[in-house]
């Protein structure tokens, strides 16, 4: 642990030793151990090209060859290797290669446009970027052409048939020998970018130690031969953990290139999938597809559900359908804080996010960082071995940690007498759409570039499938009449990721404000709900 986060407290060190199969290993050493012990562990990718099947031993061998090629290019321990890819075999190989070379892997959400991509590449100082030439309707080469000058980015590597001048095909990389490299457990291994209250995405830094602690906690989630299924993109922490569950635990995995509810239901039935995580959008779509297509999806030992508000009615419906649904809570910074277990009482699985994971500590604090009485609502502060080590921007760390390494999550919650945590609200101003955090401030700043909009507030509209959708509430210049179509066109021209584009537009004459002039989002929602213009929360 470093920076504002502080050192790991002694009691957590003791817990880590008790749990820690890999305490003093790097990711590369842990991956090598898993590949030696479970080389035949299967890995299946399903997408536009059909099924691609491989094994852990094959992925590990390909990763070593790729690490040698990266070394021949001049990449060295500590360098950042970025990838913006849909889920596929190449992702799993890149995880192995980066770890073996001692590089920091940076998976970027595949739908981020030039606007977000430019910031992430500049902030991270990435030395290499791997992209497909295109995927579905996305032209990745056009995205790269729209990037500003990035002096640190030395290598642009392409998967596909079209390789512009100055770039190189992944399958044309020069061969090379991987030298003996010693990687410390506390060296940076993973960098992910997440949206929050800041306008620009924040770089979240994880080490081998923090990632292995998270995977170590997952070992209790079922026998090693139980299949898991991941619907998450690789730029999301849950997508990363899906790939690492195979690489480090030798867990048989099915990974979807992109979410397809009907295909997911078919694969759950075919592989008798026991473990899966997702949002209400994933679970409801899976249940609907299974009912429509006559699929048996009752093999689940548990379906972990979170990343956004979880309707109790959905948990109850899954129970009635024979699926043991377990709410959970975590973030990119602290992947799994708490989760319900399959044998927890139904009322706890309906209304709470479970007990803290082994080795994780949770406090409920007020605005001054003081503990609140049991049962009181306050900000959730957490610490544990799987906690990240800080943001790429040191200034963000000052406001994000309490003394003793406690991370302030920005979420509001409460603990009951049995130790169950319930997340009740958000302190930070974000919208969670389909499990992705979207900064309201970033959307608002982009809205101000739409002709005719002079002030804007972005709020989340409740949605039974996605959790929330973005609604732009705006004040306009005299005589201006912006439309949702004009907003869409500007966001598209700016290269903004599609999920950040507002899906509703409301024009008002004034916005409710505090005495200091800040827009009161809660009051704004109340007024609009009373007027019948948005659904009540």
């Amino acid at each position: 642990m470093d920076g504002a986060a502080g050192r790991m407290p002694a009691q957590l060190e003791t817990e880590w030793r008790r749990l820690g199969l890999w305490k003093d290993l790097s990711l590369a050493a842990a991956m090598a151990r898993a590949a030696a012990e479970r080389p035949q562990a299967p890995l299946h990718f399903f997408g536009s090209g059909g099924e691609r099947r491989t094994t852990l031993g094959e992925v590990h061998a390909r990763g070593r060859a790729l690490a040698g090629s990266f070394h021949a290019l001049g990449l060295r321990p500590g360098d950042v290797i970025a990838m913006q890819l849909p889920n596929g075999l190449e992702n799993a190989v890149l995880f192995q290669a980066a770890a073996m070379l001692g590089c920091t892997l940076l998976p970027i959400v595949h739908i981020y446009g030039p606007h977000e991509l430019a910031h992430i590449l500049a902030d991270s100082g990435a030395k290499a970027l791997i992209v497909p030439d295109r995927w579905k309707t996305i032209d990745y080469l056009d995205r790269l052409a729209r990037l500003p000058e990035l002096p640190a980015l030395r290598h642009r590597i392409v998967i596909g048939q079209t390789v512009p001048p100055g770039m190189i095909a992944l399958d044309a990389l020069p061969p090379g020998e991987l030298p003996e490299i010693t990687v410390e457990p506390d060296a940076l291994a993973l960098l992910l970018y997440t949206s929050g209250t800041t306008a620009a995405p924040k770089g979240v830094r994880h080490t081998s130690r923090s990632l292995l602690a998270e995977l170590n906690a997952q070992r209790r989630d079922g026998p090693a031969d139980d299949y898991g299924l991941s619907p998450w993109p690789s730029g999301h922490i849950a997508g990363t953990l899906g790939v690492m569950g195979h690489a480090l635990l030798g867990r048989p995995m099915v990974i979807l290139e992109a979410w397809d509810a009907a295909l997911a239901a078919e694969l759950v039935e075919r592989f008798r999938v026991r473990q899966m995580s997702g949002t209400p959008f994933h679970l409801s779509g899976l249940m609907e597809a299974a009912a429509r297509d006559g699929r048996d999806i009752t093999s689940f030992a548990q379906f972990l559900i979170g990343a956004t508000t979880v309707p109790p009615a959905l948990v109850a419906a899954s129970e009635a359908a024979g699926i043991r649904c377990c709410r959970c809570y975590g973030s990119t910074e602290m992947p799994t804080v708490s989760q319900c277990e399959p044998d927890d009482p139904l009322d706890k699985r309906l209304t709470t996010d479970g007990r803290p994971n082994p080795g994780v500590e949770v406090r409920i604090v007020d605005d001054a960082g003081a503990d609140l009485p049991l049962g009181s609502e306050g900000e959730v502060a957490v610490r544990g071995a799987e906690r990240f080590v800080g943001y790429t921007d040191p200034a963000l760390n000052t406001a994000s940690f309490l003394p003793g390494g406690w991370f302030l999550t920005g979420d509001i919650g409460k603990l009951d007498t049995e130790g169950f945590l319930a997340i009740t609200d958000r302190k930070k101003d974000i919208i969670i759409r389909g499990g992705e955090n979207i900064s309201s401030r970033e959307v608002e700043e982009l809205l101000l570039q739409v002709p005719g909009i002079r002030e804007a507030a972005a709020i989340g509209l409740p949605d039974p499938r996605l959790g929330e959708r973005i609604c732009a509430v705006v004040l306009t210049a005299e005589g201006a009449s912006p439309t949702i179509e004009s907003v869409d066109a500007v966001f598209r021209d700016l290269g903004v990721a599609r999920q950040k584009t507002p899906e509703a537009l409301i024009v008002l004459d004034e916005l409710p404000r505090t005495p200091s002039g800040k827009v009161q989002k809660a009051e704004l929602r109340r007024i609009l709900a009373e007027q019948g213009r948005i659904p009540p929360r």
Side-chain angles (χ1 to χ4, degrees):
M1 305 289 172
D2 64 1
R7 289 187 55 79
M8 185 189 301
Q11 68 271 28
L12 294 186
E13 180 78 7
T14 300
E15 181 69 15
W16 175 230
R17 287 183 183 278
R18 183 181 72 79
L19 290 172
L21 177 65
W22 306 299
K23 178 183 179 294
D24 294 315
L25 296 184
S26 66
L27 276 183
M31 287 174 174
R33 176 185 288 183
E37 292 177 349
R38 296 181 61 81
Q40 298 306 313
L43 178 63
H44 309 258
F45 289 95
F46 287 86
S48 53
E51 178 183 6
R52 296 178 73 183
R53 184 189 186 280
T54 186
T55 64
L56 180 52
E58 292 171 356
V59 173
H60 188 70
R62 290 184 62 172
R64 186 168 188 84
L66 183 57
S69 293
F70 282 158
H71 190 268
L73 282 181
L75 294 172
R76 294 295 182 266
D79 287 345
V80 175
I81 299 175
M83 65 176 190
Q84 192 180 32
L85 299 169
N87 286 336
L89 176 57
E90 292 80 9
N91 299 49
V93 173
L94 281 163
F95 272 91
Q96 298 268 354
M100 292 181 195
L101 195 53
C103 290
T104 302
L105 187 65
L106 166 54
I108 302 172
V109 175
H110 64 277
I111 55 176
Y112 275 1
H115 172 78
E116 297 90 0
L117 187 59
H119 166 77
I120 290 170
L121 293 173
D123 186 70
S124 66
K127 297 289 182 64
L129 171 65
I130 300 96
V131 298
D133 53 1
R134 65 180 306 110
W135 180 67
K136 294 190 174 182
T137 61
I138 303 173
D139 184 340
Y140 284 86
L141 300 181
D142 176 67
R143 285 184 179 177
L144 266 59
R146 296 173 65 184
L147 292 176
E149 185 69 23
L150 296 164
L153 188 62
R154 300 174 187 168
H155 309 290
R156 303 183 185 206
I157 301 168
V158 179
I159 299 172
Q161 303 301 312
T162 305
V163 184
M167 302 184 192
I168 186 169
L170 183 70
D171 58 9
L173 291 177
E177 290 295 321
L178 181 65
E180 193 69 30
I181 294 173
T182 300
V183 182
E184 295 299 321
D186 292 315
L188 293 183
L190 180 73
L191 184 57
L192 292 172
Y193 279 77
T194 181
S195 294
T197 52
T198 57
K202 299 180 292 186
V204 177
R205 301 156 64 238
H206 275 285
T207 65
S208 291
R209 197 182 299 279
S210 64
L211 292 170
L212 291 173
E214 169 65 24
L215 269 295
N216 199 32
Q218 288 188 16
R219 287 191 298 131
R220 76 187 199 281
D221 286 346
D225 291 325
D226 282 354
Y227 262 93
L229 187 148
S230 175
W232 301 94
S234 61
H236 192 286
I237 185 62
T240 292
L241 295 175
V243 174
M244 288 192 172
H246 178 260
L248 295 165
L249 301 175
R251 174 180 293 161
M253 285 295 300
V254 176
I255 298 179
L256 301 183
E257 180 184 73
W259 176 243
D260 180 325
L263 176 60
E266 176 191 339
L267 297 176
V268 170
E269 181 179 62
R270 185 195 309 181
F271 291 100
R272 304 305 296 161
V273 171
R274 300 280 288 168
Q275 305 288 336
M276 181 176 169
S277 68
T279 66
F281 170 73
H282 295 116
L283 180 56
S284 60
L286 183 68
M287 291 169 60
E288 290 168 8
R292 181 188 66 240
D293 300 337
R295 301 291 183 188
D296 178 5
I297 59 172
T298 59
S299 57
F300 286 117
Q302 65 176 346
F303 188 108
L304 287 171
I305 186 168
T308 188
T309 303
V310 179
L314 180 58
V315 179
S318 72
E319 188 80 8
I323 301 173
R324 189 55 59 95
C325 185
C326 299
R327 283 171 50 168
C328 62
Y329 168 64
S331 65
T332 306
E333 293 88 344
M334 186 89 170
T336 308
V337 172
S338 65
Q339 67 180 62
C340 287
E341 300 293 344
D343 57 355
D344 284 335
L346 179 58
D347 69 302
K348 296 296 186 184
R349 290 189 287 110
L350 286 170
T351 61
T352 81
D353 299 281
R355 291 187 177 98
N357 268 4
V360 173
E361 293 182 287
V362 174
R363 293 168 58 198
I364 306 299
V365 301
D366 62 18
D367 289 342
D371 289 306
L372 290 169
L374 189 66
S376 299
E377 288 191 4
E379 185 168 5
V380 179
V382 297
R383 68 179 181 185
E386 53 264 72
R387 194 214 62 199
F388 77 131
V389 295
Y391 295 109
T392 53
D393 181 356
L396 294 174
N397 294 328
T398 303
S400 299
F401 290 96
L402 296 175
W406 293 93
F407 171 59
L408 291 166
T409 63
D411 291 310
I412 303 299
K414 60 183 178 180
L415 286 164
D416 67 18
T417 55
E418 297 174 81
F420 285 86
L421 173 67
I423 303 300
T424 58
D425 203 352
R426 291 196 297 273
K427 187 175 184 179
K428 49 193 177 184
D429 189 12
I430 60 172
I431 297 165
I432 305 181
R433 184 188 187 280
E436 292 290 340
N437 286 359
I438 298 168
S439 165
S440 297
R441 178 179 164 187
E442 181 184 9
V443 174
E444 289 159 2
E445 291 184 358
L446 292 166
L447 282 165
L448 295 180
Q449 299 188 52
V450 177
I453 294 179
R454 62 181 176 86
E455 193 166 354
I459 60 174
L461 297 182
D463 184 272
R465 294 179 66 84
L466 295 173
E468 290 181 309
R469 295 180 184 270
I470 302 174
C471 175
V473 185
V474 304
L475 306 183
T476 62
E478 185 174 354
S481 301
T483 64
I484 194 65
E485 290 77 20
S486 65
V487 169
D488 184 88
V490 170
F491 275 56
R492 187 169 56 251
D493 289 344
L494 291 171
V496 179
R498 189 67 187 167
Q499 81 270 26
K500 295 181 181 179
T501 303
E503 296 166 87
L505 178 70
I506 295 175
V507 178
L508 295 180
D509 293 328
E510 59 180 355
L511 296 169
R513 303 177 187 278
T514 65
S516 63
K518 183 179 179 181
V519 175
Q520 293 179 301
K521 295 284 184 74
E523 179 66 9
L524 176 60
R525 293 189 190 95
R526 186 192 66 78
I527 292 171
L528 293 175
E530 281 190 354
Q531 295 175 351
R533 304 179 76 173
I534 66 170
R537 281 183 176 268

